[in-house]
């Protein structure tokens, strides 16, 4: 009889961050007395929105963006969220159309005129980014009809070697629309 075995897979980035925090491990298990980071520079988190599209079939806006580390050291993302700057009532209309749409999205958020912040990242999930890492995010945003939202995507992060020095990256504000349907 084989007992069940639970294995937590941390991945290369998690293991590298642990090694970098504990220099004595480098001396004990690696031939060199120093562990050289891939680029040696501080982490640099970049945030880019690459599309925002109203999708009438799904009655939502799909908002896609990337988070990447172009620096050398490892950054830990502490928070990803949306900041709403303004909400406007809209009289914009759009006619219905027929066609097939592939449903493909990762995170769904229901926007309301009252809320100013929406959590994107699961607080219990940690994303580590080493040099060259990049992830794509696709948000499915829904709202009551007849609203425009001016918002930014925000990422709070820190260098794993300096956990008390929080940094924030924000996109330029964009306007997304939820038109009235005729």
């Amino acid at each position: 009889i084989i007992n069940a075995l639970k294995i937590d897979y941390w991945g290369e980035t998690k293991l590298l961050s642990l090694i970098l925090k504990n220099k004595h491990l480098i001396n004990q298990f690696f031939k060199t007395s120093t562990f050289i980071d891939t680029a040696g520079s501080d982490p640099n988190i970049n945030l880019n929105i690459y599309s925002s599209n109203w999708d009438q079939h799904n009655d939502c806006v799909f908002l896609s963006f990337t988070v990447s580390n172009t620096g050398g050291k490892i950054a830990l993302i502490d928070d990803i969220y949306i900041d709403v700057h303004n909400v406007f009532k809209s009289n914009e209309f759009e006619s219905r159309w027929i066609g097939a749409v592939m449903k493909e999205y990762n995170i769904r958020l229901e926007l309301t005129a009252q809320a100013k912040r929406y959590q994107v990242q699961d607080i219990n999930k940690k994303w580590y980014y080493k040099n060259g890492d990049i992830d794509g995010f696709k948000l499915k945003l829904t709202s009551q009809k007849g609203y425009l939202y001016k918002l930014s995507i925000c990422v709070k992060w820190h260098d794993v070697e300096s956990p008390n020095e929080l940094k924030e990256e924000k996109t330029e504000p964009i306007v997304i629309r939820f038109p009235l349907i005729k």
Side-chain angles (χ1 to χ4, degrees):
I1 296 176
I2 299 174
N3 292 331
L5 176 64
K6 181 180 177 185
I7 298 174
D8 285 335
Y9 175 73
W10 288 353
E12 174 189 352
T13 307
K14 177 75 172 178
L15 292 172
L16 183 58
S17 71
L18 289 171
I19 289 170
L20 288 171
K21 284 182 186 177
N22 300 293
K23 302 293 183 192
H24 67 279
L25 290 176
I26 296 166
N27 296 334
Q28 186 174 359
F29 294 104
F30 298 94
K31 291 181 182 180
T32 116
S33 61
T34 59
F35 188 90
I36 300 171
D37 200 342
T38 52
S41 61
D42 290 335
N44 184 41
I45 293 296
N46 291 310
L47 185 60
N48 294 304
I49 293 177
Y50 59 88
S51 73
S52 167
N53 301 310
W54 163 251
D55 185 327
Q56 190 179 79
H57 280 288
N58 290 295
D59 202 18
C60 70
V61 170
F62 286 110
L63 178 62
S64 299
F65 64 96
T66 61
V67 175
S68 62
N69 179 7
T70 58
K73 295 181 182 173
I74 299 169
L76 171 61
I77 303 301
D78 296 292
D79 201 4
I80 299 177
Y81 58 92
I82 294 174
D83 256 345
V84 177
H85 303 283
N86 291 313
V87 179
F88 308 97
K89 198 74 169 135
S90 169
N91 292 324
E92 185 178 357
F93 280 92
E94 191 168 305
S95 299
R96 290 215 176 268
W97 55 277
I98 298 172
V101 175
M102 182 175 80
K103 291 185 180 182
E104 183 180 301
Y105 50 89
N106 296 332
I107 301 164
R108 180 187 168 131
L109 297 170
E110 173 72 29
L111 304 180
T112 66
Q114 296 77 29
K116 296 298 180 193
R117 181 169 283 186
Y118 298 87
Q119 203 66 38
V120 174
Q121 178 182 1
D122 178 356
I123 231 70
N124 298 317
K125 181 175 169 81
K126 299 294 181 195
W127 287 313
Y128 290 86
Y129 287 81
K130 66 180 181 353
N131 175 258
D133 284 351
I134 185 169
D135 280 332
F137 294 83
K138 192 170 191 178
L139 305 181
K140 180 181 180 179
L141 304 177
T142 56
S143 174
Q144 198 174 21
K145 299 292 176 287
Y147 283 95
L148 299 173
Y149 293 83
K150 183 177 179 183
L151 54 83
S152 296
I153 304 293
C154 307
V155 172
K156 282 189 182 174
W157 63 280
H158 69 269
D159 182 333
V160 295
E161 295 179 19
S162 306
N164 296 326
E165 295 177 27
L166 283 179
K167 298 177 184 177
E168 184 173 68
E169 183 71 23
K170 266 187 185 189
T171 63
E172 290 294 319
I174 64 165
V175 175
I176 60 172
R177 64 187 185 95
F178 294 90
L180 300 167
I181 304 297
K182 291 183 183 180

